[in-house]
Amino acid sequence: MGIVAFLYGAVSYLAFLASFTYAVGFVGNVLVPKGIDAAPYGSLPEALLVDILLLGLFAVQHSVMARKGFKQWWTRIVPEPLERSTFVLASSLVLGLLLWKWQPIDGWLWTVQAPAARLALQALFWLGWLIALSSTFMISHFDLFGLRQVYLRLKGEPYRPLPFVRVALYRFVRHPLMLGLLIAFWATPDMSYGHLLFALAMTGYILAGIWLEERDLRRVLGAAYHSYRRETSMLIPLP
């Protein structure tokens, strides 16, 4: 069963890599067959309904499956070492569905013409994704995406939660992963109305997700996290 669990975790991780990589191209309209600003093919009401439903599905799945109460119930069905990999797989599949079925919306909120400004916004877009991905390695990338859990199961060792530490970007902001995503979603020289809907919805989801996550962390870590919240900004690095 250890081998089966490890293979399941590996497949889930590959699903994450595929959906994450496509999402980068989708938001940036680069190297993918269908970007967020592809040519519209449906009516505006239809596009709004489909896109809002897809964004809502992603937010609900991601938030509910990350909660402690759901995990306690879910691990009665799914073996505990597979809980995180199952979350990663489900999130990747729902994200893949969103990217596949997204309906572009015509019209532009802004289009930057100056070449230097366009280049700066494109550089900021890539910086956002770099911050998001690199921040996962600052704590434990493989624990976050379930590989550490299934590897310990393969070795027959019990899972040991990682200690709470303040390292690298986490010394300046509490959520560098979310900061990177926000930068990537908003930094664009061409903001279509479809992209605006996506960025607004994801920003709302991220802020709600942070509130829920920090509520859980305060319960688990107690005084250590209360101190961290007092001393470190949530998203914007401040003195």
Side-chain angles (χ1 to χ4, degrees):
M1 289 305 296
I3 295 175
V4 173
F6 185 79
L7 290 174
Y8 178 79
V11 169
S12 300
Y13 183 73
L14 290 175
F16 152 73
L17 288 180
S19 62
F20 178 83
T21 303
Y22 196 98
V24 174
F26 175 82
V27 177
N29 296 294
V30 292
L31 302 177
V32 294
K34 174 189 171 185
I36 197 169
D37 296 328
Y41 53 85
S43 66
L44 178 59
E46 177 188 349
L48 283 172
L49 177 61
V50 170
D51 293 347
I52 290 172
L53 286 175
L54 289 169
L55 289 163
L57 175 64
F58 177 82
V60 170
Q61 175 272 321
H62 219 73
S63 297
V64 170
M65 291 190 72
R67 302 281 66 80
K68 184 179 179 180
F70 180 87
K71 292 178 182 180
Q72 290 174 340
W73 170 80
W74 186 232
T75 49
R76 298 174 187 173
I77 303 170
V78 175
E80 193 165 344
L82 301 184
E83 180 272 323
R84 189 66 187 178
S85 291
T86 303
F87 170 78
V88 170
L89 180 60
S91 299
S92 300
L93 292 175
V94 172
L95 177 58
L97 178 66
L98 186 154
L99 302 176
W100 175 35
K101 290 298 185 180
W102 179 265
Q103 293 205 17
I105 298 174
D106 201 10
W108 303 92
L109 182 64
W110 71 68
T111 298
V112 177
Q113 301 294 338
R118 291 186 66 87
L119 184 61
L121 286 168
Q122 289 166 350
L124 196 58
F125 166 81
W126 290 108
L127 177 63
W129 289 111
L130 179 62
I131 292 172
L133 184 60
S134 63
S135 67
T136 66
F137 288 94
M138 295 171 192
I139 39 176
S140 178
H141 176 86
F142 299 110
D143 189 89
L144 181 64
F145 293 103
L147 284 179
R148 178 170 174 263
Q149 292 86 327
V150 294
Y151 177 69
L152 290 174
R153 175 66 181 84
L154 179 65
K155 293 175 65 179
E157 298 180 9
Y159 175 74
R160 298 178 297 277
L162 295 170
F164 174 65
V165 294
R166 309 182 191 188
V167 295
L169 291 180
Y170 286 88
R171 294 182 296 150
F172 306 103
V173 291
R174 302 197 300 274
H175 301 278
L177 169 59
M178 300 306 180
L179 172 61
L181 292 176
L182 287 172
I183 293 172
F185 295 155
W186 286 97
T188 175
D190 304 299
M191 177 63 79
S192 70
Y193 291 128
H195 193 150
L196 177 65
L197 173 63
F198 180 89
L200 285 172
M202 285 299 186
T203 299
Y205 157 70
I206 284 173
L207 294 176
I210 287 175
W211 183 82
L212 290 169
E213 181 184 6
E214 292 206 331
R215 183 189 63 180
D216 294 343
L217 288 171
R218 289 196 301 271
R219 291 173 179 171
V220 173
L221 299 174
Y225 199 80
H226 280 283
S227 175
Y228 183 50
R229 290 185 77 235
R230 285 195 304 269
E231 298 166 5
T232 311
S233 299
M234 182 174 74
L235 288 170
I236 302 173
L238 295 171

